[in-house]
């Protein structure tokens, strides 16, 4: 047979032995068990179960029995009820619905998500927009082909390596207009399911030639057939550019097999290489159907792949390619692909092995000739347009070795990293899948590797995000945050400090909050530093502690580290009134990104101070500020911090100041709090960490990390580091990751011991790697918060 269409994404992946098989076969939960596992969200799940129509109860039962645990704990009942109702409606309306097997409907039409994408409400809009396109089509396969030809133009979404992330939800892709093959695949699957077509997510974590991963769509048309999202082939399915690669997949190799998602519980996890520790999505191995699907090569021939770049050498351009043999005879003419096509969709030519050819590129930007020798099957040749003034002399053949691999396999990892970073970003596959990324480094190599990675990452941020900083508008997902920026004083050698200052207002009309923002812009003057006053994205009472704030602030900080050169160890937050509420909430959960925090005239709501163990915290309130009991809360928090400090004398640095004669406005005397906090510098690697998860979950805190899918609000982890020994005093069951690096009192060349209370649970030497350095750098773009080694421990 022939195969589904595809797209590549940049991913983080470290393969382990049999990485996609679960440690034990999961059992299907009952509805009662699901309601119990929903925890604090039980009322939402129970409400959906009680209110679902009797004719649709089987659908709700299926979702509750099989949905990821995090969805049980977070989704709203109305969201599920709408999805179930519209899925059954689409089944009734489609010409094929009455003949659709129940198991296909439940597993491949009813589900509200494909992988770990954001749980957007897409079904109602997609049903109304796309049903008219297919209402007269009688076969689901033809309907899917029609959608693939139509929806991407209608939604104004195209393939791009510049998309924000691989696993975008449908609305994220629609808002930005850009998506990876993963994001495009999610869009097409959702469109199919919205009109009653069974569709599922398919992909491989790594092609057998190590050229990257890919994702595509399978739809049910009497049997499963494939198509590439946004790569329509007319009314035909089972045609795609990646057929040759899919035909060499390895059914027994976890990293080189092909998998399809399943909402129904199975023994396998889908290999989401963009979120490699996440095992929440079930899968089946479908490799067999893709084997030997391509046309066999004639004896003695190999496939030569050709990529053409514009004169900058950065982006692919469309060009005419002419191939001549050693006698000058034209043996092939074709056209290459530009950036609107998948990053690995190259012009492919079949040529005799070992013979010499001349390739000529003719493009609007210029032309070039290059002599190559056909090497192994799959050799990639890159042609870069030369301007008319350039000499089109023959250049050495490119791509004689597999992509992203050094020509000398014995080079040290540092040399291989340099070769990798020398490639244009569009040509790189994810760094973590490179063989050198997991090789052991010595201390000096780790320091040099980090310097290379930081330079590369910050250059990318400078290039890709300069426009948003010039516009003074940060955007994450569908949320915008304007900001104002002022600079003060001479820039120190290590960089300016940064103060993020949050305005008041809250649940008020937009014009009120706008005026509060204007006030905040000029509230404080600094002797030195960068003062940023953001405008809250919403006008709600909790404007500064909604879940999107953490991501917006993290992106803002990352940009300022790279573009303004701020000192990442001297970042502070403050806020007045509703902005003070935000400080109360954000400081404990973002403590490891900050050096200190100053709360002005706010109230804490439900938040707790535990996470402030390593974050100096000052609070300033008027003694007559009785609204929301701000003055009483200030005294309560001061007492709590006193007690925490008494029990842990090396932590919980704080200063509480109540101004007896002041009301809500403190006549700028609170500036003392700003000056107080700026004398502190962050310690990203403290000896003791107290981590209390807020309702906005984080997967990393100082030198501790967890899988976000396993995190729950209220989880408490306390860990102590004493030289080469780490003691986990308190932690919930699950897997904990320890991030380590060489410090004056920690040598990664020596043995590390990890204890759980009084019991030793791990002992050994850790390995410094490029992969860990890169992962901890790109998590936040914080060069001072990187680590070279990681240890996983099961608790």
């Amino acid at each position: 047979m022939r195969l589904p269409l595809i797209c590549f994404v940049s991913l983080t992946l470290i393969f382990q032995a049999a990485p996609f098989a679960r440690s034990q076969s999961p059992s299907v939960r009952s509805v009662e068990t699901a309601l119990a596992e929903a925890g604090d969200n039980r009322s939402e799940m129970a409400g959906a179960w009680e209110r679902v129509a009797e004719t649709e109860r089987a659908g709700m039962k299926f979702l509750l029995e099989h949905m990821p645990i995090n969805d049980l704990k977070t989704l709203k009942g109305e969201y599920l009820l709408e999805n179930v109702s519209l899925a059954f409606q689409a089944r009734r309306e489609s010409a094929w619905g009455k003949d659709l097997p129940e198991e296909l409907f439940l597993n491949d039409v009813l589900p509200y998500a494909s992988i770990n994408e954001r749980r957007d409400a897409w079904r109602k809009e997609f049903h109304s927009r796309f049903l008219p396109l297919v209402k007269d089509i009688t076969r689901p396969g033809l309907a899917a082909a029609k959608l693939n030809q139509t929806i991407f133009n209608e939604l104004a979404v195209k393939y791009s390596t510049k998309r924000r992330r691989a696993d975008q939800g449908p609305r994220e892709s629609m808002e930005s207009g850009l998506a990876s093959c993963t994001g495009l695949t999610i869009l097409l699957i959702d469109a199919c399911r919205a009109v009653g077509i069974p569709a599922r997510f398919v992909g491989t974590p790594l092609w057998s030639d190590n050229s990257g991963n890919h994702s595509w769509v399978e739809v049910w048309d009497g049997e499963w057939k494939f198509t590439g999202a946004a790569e329509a082939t007319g009314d035909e399915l089972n045609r795609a550019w990646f057929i040759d690669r899919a035909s060499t997949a390895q059914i027994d190799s976890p990293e080189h097999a092909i998998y399809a998602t399943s909402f129904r519980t199975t023994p396998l996890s889908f290999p989401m290489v963009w979120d490699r520790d996440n095992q929440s999505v079930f899968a089946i191995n479908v490799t067999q159907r893709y084997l030997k699907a391509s046309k066999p090569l004639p004896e003695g021939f190999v496939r030569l792949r050709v990529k053409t770049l514009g004169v900058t050498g950065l982006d692919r351009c469309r060009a005419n390619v002419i191939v001549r043999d050693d006698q000058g005879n034209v043996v092939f003419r074709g056209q290459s692909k530009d950036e609107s096509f998948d990053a690995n969709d190259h012009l492919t030519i079949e040529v005799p092995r070992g013979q010499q050819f001349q390739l000529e590129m003719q493009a609007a930007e210029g032309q070039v000739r290059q002599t190559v020798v056909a090497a192994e099957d799959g050799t990639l040749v890159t042609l870069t347009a030369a301007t008319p003034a350039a000499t089109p002399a023959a250049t050495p053949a490119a791509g004689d070795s597999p992509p992203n691999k050094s020509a000398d396999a014995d080079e040290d990892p540092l040399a291989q990293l340099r070769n990798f970073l020398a490639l244009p970003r569009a040509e790189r596959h994810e760094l973590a899948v490179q063989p050198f990324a997991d090789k052991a480094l010595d201390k000096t190599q780790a320091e040099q590797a980090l310097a290379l990675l930081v330079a590369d990452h910050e250059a990318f941020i400078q290039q890709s995000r300069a426009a948003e900083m010039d516009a003074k508008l940060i955007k994450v997902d569908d949320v915008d945050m304007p900001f104002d920026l002022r600079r003060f004083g001479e820039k120190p050698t290590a960089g300016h400090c940064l103060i993020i200052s949050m305005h008041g207002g809250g649940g008020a009309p937009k014009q009120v909050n706008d005026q509060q923002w204007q006030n905040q812009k000029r509230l404080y003057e600094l002797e030195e530093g960068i003062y940023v006053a953001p405008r809250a994205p919403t006008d709600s009472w909790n404007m500064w502690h909604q879940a999107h704030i953490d991501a917006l602030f993290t992106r803002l900080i990352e940009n300022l580290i790279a573009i303004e050169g701020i000192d990442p160890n001297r970042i502070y937050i403050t806020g007045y009134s509703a902005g003070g509420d935000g400080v109360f909430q954000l400081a404990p959960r973002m403590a490891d990104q900050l050096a200190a925090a100053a709360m002005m005239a706010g109230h804490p709501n439900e938040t707790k101070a535990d996470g402030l163990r390593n974050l100096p915290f000052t609070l300033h309130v008027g003694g007559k500020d009785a609204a929301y009991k701000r003055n009483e809360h200030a005294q309560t928090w001061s007492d709590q911090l006193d007690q925490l400090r008494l029990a842990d004398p090396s932590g919980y640095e704080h200063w509480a100041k109540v101004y007896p004669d002041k009301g809500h406005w403190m006549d700028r005397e609170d500036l003392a709090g700003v000056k107080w906090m700026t004398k502190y510098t962050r310690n990203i690697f403290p000896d003791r960490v107290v981590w209390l998860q807020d309702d906005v979950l984080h997967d990393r805190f100082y030198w501790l990390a967890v899988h976000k899918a396993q995190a729950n609000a209220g989880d408490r982890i306390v860990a102590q580091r004493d030289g080469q020994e780490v003691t986990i005093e308190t932690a919930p069951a699950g897997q904990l990751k320890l991030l380590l690096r060489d410090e004056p009192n920690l040598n990664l060349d020596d043995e590390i011991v990890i204890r759980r209370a009084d019991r030793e649970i791990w002992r050994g030497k850790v390995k410094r790697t490029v992969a860990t350095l890169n992962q901890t750098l790109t998590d936040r773009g914080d060069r001072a918060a990187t680590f070279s080694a990681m240890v996983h421990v099961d608790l």
Side-chain angles (χ1 to χ4, degrees):
M1 67 176 285
R2 291 173 295 184
L3 317 174
L5 283 156
I6 312 178
C7 275
F8 279 86
V9 293
S10 295
L11 311 171
T12 299
L13 175 60
I14 300 176
F15 291 119
Q16 303 166 359
F20 312 128
R22 294 170 181 266
S23 58
Q24 58 184 24
S25 294
S27 58
V28 177
R29 66 168 80 92
S30 66
V31 171
E32 277 306 314
T33 300
L35 298 181
E37 291 181 357
D40 293 341
N41 200 44
R42 181 187 177 106
S43 61
E44 292 288 339
M45 296 297 100
W49 178 240
E50 292 164 3
R51 293 166 53 199
V52 69
E54 189 61 37
T55 55
E56 299 169 358
R57 184 165 289 271
M60 187 66 72
K61 180 175 184 290
F62 177 83
L63 293 181
L64 290 172
E65 289 176 341
H66 299 278
M67 71 168 61
I69 185 69
N70 192 56
D71 289 352
L72 277 174
K73 293 181 176 182
T74 58
L75 292 182
K76 298 297 183 183
E78 285 295 335
Y79 177 85
L80 293 180
L81 287 165
E82 180 179 82
N83 270 279
V84 170
S85 176
L86 288 170
F88 276 87
Q89 179 181 341
R91 187 182 193 184
R92 293 191 298 270
E93 292 171 341
S94 64
W96 53 85
K98 63 182 183 301
D99 300 321
L100 197 61
E102 185 75 1
E103 63 271 17
L104 277 173
F105 169 75
L106 292 176
N107 200 47
D108 302 295
V109 175
L110 178 69
Y112 49 82
S114 294
I115 48 169
N116 65 323
E117 74 270 28
R118 193 178 70 184
R119 288 359 187 187
D120 294 338
W122 50 267
R123 197 180 289 266
K124 184 175 182 179
E125 178 185 348
F126 282 14
H127 178 267
S128 62
R129 289 182 72 167
F130 302 141
L131 182 64
L133 299 176
V134 299
K135 61 183 177 61
D136 296 326
I137 299 176
T138 58
R139 280 181 44 205
L142 289 174
K146 177 68 173 179
L147 292 175
N148 201 12
Q149 296 170 45
T150 309
I151 69 165
F152 296 101
N153 283 334
E154 182 167 332
L155 298 175
V157 178
K158 65 180 182 178
Y159 172 80
S160 176
T161 58
K162 297 180 176 64
R163 80 289 182 277
R164 294 192 194 99
R165 62 172 184 265
D167 51 339
Q168 292 176 170
R171 295 204 177 279
E172 294 175 278
S173 298
M174 291 159 63
E175 286 157 4
S176 67
L178 307 175
S180 67
C181 61
T182 300
L184 296 172
T185 296
I186 289 168
L187 274 174
L188 182 55
I189 290 171
D190 290 348
C192 288
R193 290 178 176 177
V195 298
I197 302 168
R200 65 188 185 184
F201 192 101
V202 183
T204 181
L206 189 65
W207 292 121
S208 59
D209 64 359
N210 295 319
S211 60
N213 72 292
H214 196 51
S215 307
W216 61 96
V217 182
E218 284 189 346
V219 297
W220 180 259
D221 191 34
E223 62 179 352
W224 286 108
K225 298 180 179 179
F226 62 83
T227 188
E231 298 172 344
T233 52
D235 290 339
E236 291 189 64
L237 301 175
N238 289 346
R239 288 181 56 199
W241 61 263
F242 54 82
I243 289 177
D244 291 335
R245 297 193 196 184
S247 69
T248 62
Q250 299 170 18
I251 194 168
D252 295 323
S253 170
E255 63 267 34
H256 297 312
I258 296 173
Y259 301 86
T261 57
S262 170
F263 200 86
R264 181 181 288 106
T265 305
T266 72
L268 291 180
S269 293
F270 188 85
M272 296 185 291
V273 290
W274 51 89
D275 190 5
R276 62 187 180 85
D277 294 323
N278 188 339
Q279 292 192 329
S280 65
V281 179
F282 298 109
I284 57 175
N285 189 319
V286 296
T287 310
Q288 186 62 48
R289 294 208 337 274
Y290 290 86
L291 300 181
K292 304 184 186 305
S294 64
K295 182 182 69 174
L297 278 168
E299 184 70 26
F301 277 68
V302 295
R303 295 182 182 89
L304 193 66
R305 296 183 293 136
V306 181
K307 175 167 66 174
T308 52
L309 304 177
V311 291
T312 64
L314 297 176
D315 294 326
R316 289 177 294 161
C317 67
R318 191 169 299 187
N320 293 322
V321 176
I322 301 171
V323 181
R324 293 182 171 87
D325 62 18
D326 54 5
Q327 302 299 314
N329 301 311
V330 175
V331 296
F332 178 85
R333 294 178 184 271
Q335 190 173 74
S336 61
K337 306 294 178 65
D338 59 19
E339 289 296 334
S340 63
F341 290 82
D342 184 272
N344 282 270
D345 183 0
H346 303 302
L347 177 65
T348 303
I349 309 164
E350 295 179 0
V351 296
R353 185 189 305 274
Q355 289 193 19
Q356 183 168 289
F357 295 88
Q358 186 179 76
L359 276 66
E360 181 177 344
M361 164 189 173
Q362 299 176 342
E365 297 188 44
Q367 63 183 44
V368 68
R369 293 187 181 91
Q370 180 169 303
T371 301
V372 301
V373 174
E376 295 304 314
D377 192 26
T379 293
L380 176 65
V381 176
T382 300
L383 303 175
T384 302
T387 59
T391 303
T395 57
D400 288 343
S401 57
N404 294 351
K405 289 187 178 179
S406 168
D408 181 358
D410 295 326
E411 281 191 75
D412 68 76
L414 208 58
Q416 294 183 9
L417 174 62
R418 290 191 183 97
N419 290 343
F420 176 87
L421 297 178
L423 294 171
R425 279 185 171 260
E427 292 184 34
R428 302 178 194 172
H429 302 306
E430 186 62 24
L431 187 152
V433 306
Q434 305 306 312
F436 67 82
D438 198 42
K439 291 182 179 179
L441 307 174
D442 60 33
K443 182 179 179 180
T444 300
Q445 287 176 319
E447 292 170 349
Q448 294 173 343
L450 178 59
L452 293 170
L453 291 167
V454 167
D456 179 75
H457 178 79
E458 294 189 354
F460 171 70
I461 297 298
Q462 291 162 9
Q463 179 183 30
S464 62
R465 299 189 189 171
E468 68 185 52
M469 294 304 290
D470 289 342
K472 295 184 178 179
L473 180 69
I474 298 293
K475 185 180 182 70
V476 173
D477 298 331
D478 57 349
V479 182
D480 293 343
M481 186 181 75
F483 65 90
D484 183 70
L485 183 150
R486 292 190 295 156
R487 300 174 183 85
F488 294 89
E490 293 295 321
K491 184 176 180 179
T493 303
H496 273 307
C497 76
L498 167 66
I499 294 180
I500 299 175
S501 185
M502 295 173 281
H503 64 77
K510 179 180 182 299
Q511 58 268 29
V512 172
N513 290 316
D514 284 343
Q515 183 57 52
Q516 291 295 317
W517 180 34
Q518 296 303 320
N519 294 342
Q520 199 74 18
K521 291 179 182 179
R522 298 293 180 265
L523 185 58
Y524 301 120
E525 301 284 324
L526 310 179
E527 294 180 4
E528 174 272 312
I530 291 179
Y531 180 85
V532 172
R535 170 46 165 103
T538 67
D539 296 302
S540 59
W541 68 271
N542 58 344
M543 55 167 55
W544 287 119
H545 45 100
Q546 293 173 290
H548 52 249
I549 296 297
D550 304 56
L552 287 163
F553 278 14
T554 296
R555 186 179 180 95
L556 173 64
I557 291 168
E558 180 179 29
N559 289 0
L560 289 168
I561 289 173
I563 295 172
E564 292 284 347
I566 64 166
D567 182 348
N569 288 323
R570 296 175 62 234
I571 297 171
Y572 312 91
I573 60 169
T574 188
Y576 207 102
S577 192
D581 298 358
V583 175
F584 266 129
Q585 296 273 339
L586 293 173
R589 73 192 195 210
M590 296 184 67
D592 62 329
Q593 296 179 253
L594 306 171
M599 194 294 305
M600 314 300 191
H603 62 96
N605 294 295
E606 84 299 337
T607 192
K608 297 181 179 179
D610 301 54
L612 298 177
R613 197 271 171 189
N614 299 298
L615 184 75
F617 188 86
T618 185
L619 53 93
H620 296 250
V621 175
K624 297 180 180 180
D625 192 357
Y628 304 104
K629 298 183 178 180
R630 294 188 184 99
N631 47 7
E632 294 181 27
H633 286 306
Q635 187 60 55
T636 299
W637 261 62
S638 177
D639 294 343
Q640 289 177 357
L641 287 165
D642 286 344
Q643 292 301 313
L644 289 167
R645 175 76 167 186
L646 186 64
D648 187 355
S650 60
Y652 296 103
E653 183 73 33
H654 66 282
W655 174 38
K657 175 69 174 177
V658 177
Y659 300 86
D661 298 327
K662 302 297 183 184
H664 192 50
W665 177 242
M666 291 175 279
D667 296 318
R668 298 185 189 270
E669 291 188 26
D670 42 289
L671 177 61
V674 175
K675 293 180 178 179
W676 178 89
M677 72 172 175
T678 54
K679 67 184 182 181
Y680 291 97
T681 301
R682 177 183 63 169
N683 177 13
I684 191 61
F685 205 32
D687 291 339
R688 184 175 179 83
V689 174
V690 179
W691 183 6
L692 180 65
Q693 285 279 15
D694 192 74
D695 54 353
V696 177
L697 302 174
H698 283 225
D699 58 4
R700 178 175 161 187
F701 195 68
Y702 293 102
W703 44 272
L704 301 174
V706 297
H707 305 308
K708 188 175 284 188
Q710 295 180 357
N712 298 287
D715 283 353
R716 181 183 174 86
I717 302 174
V718 180
Q720 179 80 32
R721 186 173 58 85
D722 184 8
Q724 300 293 119
E725 293 193 4
V726 175
T727 301
I728 312 300
E729 297 179 10
T730 304
Q735 191 175 75
L736 179 65
K737 293 180 279 189
L738 275 61
L739 307 175
L740 304 172
R741 68 188 190 187
D742 292 283
E743 290 282 321
N745 63 345
L746 180 63
N747 185 353
L748 297 190
D749 291 326
D750 295 337
E751 196 172 59
I752 306 290
V753 178
I754 302 173
R755 304 181 189 279
R756 175 77 185 272
D758 295 329
R759 181 170 58 89
E760 184 177 306
I761 59 174
W762 192 92
R763 177 185 290 267
K765 291 187 177 182
V766 298
K767 183 169 66 171
R768 307 177 188 89
T769 68
V770 168
T772 301
L773 286 167
N774 186 62
Q775 180 181 333
T776 55
L777 171 65
T778 56
D779 276 349
R780 299 171 178 170
D782 183 343
R783 57 178 178 263
T786 56
F787 296 85
S788 58
M790 183 186 303
V791 179
H792 295 248
V793 291
D794 289 315
L795 303 177

